[in-house]
Amino acid sequence: MKVTIVYDNKESKPGLEAGWGFSALIEIENTPAILFDTGADGTTLLHNMEKLGINPRDIGIVVISHTHGDHTGGLQAILEVNREAEIYIPASSRARILGRKVTAVTESIQISEKVFSTGELEGVEQSLALKTNKGIVVVVGCSHPGVSKIIDAVSRFGKVYGIIGGLHGFHNFDRLQGLSLICPCHCTQYKSEISRLFPEQHVACGTGLELEL
Ligand SMILES: [Zn+2]
Ligand SMILES: [Zn+2]
């Protein structure tokens, strides 16, 4: 299983573009590739994908965490080049995407063999739980429902191994104790505190980062 950051506020590889927003590609053998969020801007998203050797037509599923523009801005560009992908959006968004299989997510649901949505927490945002051999890895957009709430929600799928994505203003750092992988991206306000408190577990996020799980 591989998670590649394709859109982030920071860039980690030359030739890629950074921009305020978040998008990650989740690739698991023998299941459709999942694009989680689409960043703020389609041109940047497609540019980064091309540089990373990712064909947007190979994406089977697009999951939108929540409807803020820095997560949905690239969706149109993806849909223009990819006519097949299924879409999962939080139910509260009420978005209409014509001619597509769209699932409006309220409760927790299974998205593919090893991938589950938390469901729309606090009426705003869904996160993904990936079942890896090491435990559950949670992928978050902005964590608006709160990191603690999200970790509680994914704990039902197994022991939580790691977290990747935007943690917003989260600072209840005790909640990260016991995790083996902490990759704070995008809107995370306390990146330096997290890297200082968890030097072994912390992985610096950026566009182009590839994590083998
Ligand atoms: Zn955001
Ligand atoms: Zn947001």
Side-chain angles (χ1 to χ4, degrees):
M1 187 180 306
K2 186 165 95 170
V3 175
T4 305
I5 307 300
V6 291
Y7 203 116
D8 187 60
N9 300 28
K10 292 192 170 190
E11 79 204 57
S12 67
K13 285 186 180 162
L16 299 177
E17 282 173 25
W20 184 278
F22 187 67
S23 177
L25 184 76
I26 299 154
E27 294 170 287
I28 305 171
E29 254 179 58
N30 304 320
T31 61
I34 298 173
L35 187 69
F36 177 77
D37 285 340
T38 62
D41 165 64
T43 309
T44 306
L45 180 67
L46 292 177
H47 167 86
N48 288 339
M49 282 188 176
E50 194 194 327
K51 293 278 171 195
L52 289 162
I54 297 164
N55 185 341
R57 288 170 196 85
D58 293 340
I59 294 164
I61 297 170
V62 178
V63 178
I64 297 293
S65 66
H66 65 303
T67 54
H68 291 167
D70 50 341
H71 299 256
T72 60
L75 180 59
Q76 193 57 40
I78 293 292
L79 297 184
E80 277 166 21
V81 293
N82 179 323
R83 306 257 159 210
E84 306 293 329
E86 283 179 45
I87 302 158
Y88 289 78
I89 54 169
S92 69
S93 78
R94 303 187 188 282
R96 296 277 171 275
I97 302 162
L98 294 173
R100 295 302 175 115
K101 186 169 181 234
V102 178
T103 303
V105 177
T106 46
E107 301 300 314
S108 175
I109 53 162
Q110 186 163 16
I111 288 179
S112 71
E113 196 188 330
K114 292 179 179 170
V115 181
F116 297 79
S117 165
T118 57
E120 185 178 44
L121 300 179
E122 302 290 301
V124 291
E125 184 172 341
Q126 62 177 332
S127 308
L128 292 182
L130 315 181
K131 281 195 168 177
T132 78
N133 293 335
K134 296 165 182 167
I136 300 299
V137 173
V138 49
V139 185
V140 295
C142 277
S143 303
H144 294 301
V147 171
S148 296
K149 214 164 213 129
I150 294 167
I151 290 177
D152 288 343
V154 298
S155 294
R156 76 159 101 161
F157 299 112
K159 185 172 163 35
V160 181
Y161 174 82
I163 187 164
I164 303 165
L167 307 184
H168 214 70
F170 166 77
H171 57 273
N172 181 13
F173 304 120
D174 281 351
R175 231 19 250 275
L176 302 177
Q177 287 298 348
L179 300 192
S180 302
L181 167 69
I182 304 167
C183 182
C185 305
H186 176 43
C187 57
T188 308
Q189 286 171 25
Y190 296 101
K191 282 182 185 170
S192 51
E193 288 80 357
I194 291 169
S195 70
R196 189 166 44 76
L197 288 166
F198 302 96
E200 306 278 301
Q201 297 83 357
H202 174 260
V203 175
C205 191
T207 311
L209 175 70
E210 293 169 287
L211 294 162
E212 294 283 352
L213 301 169

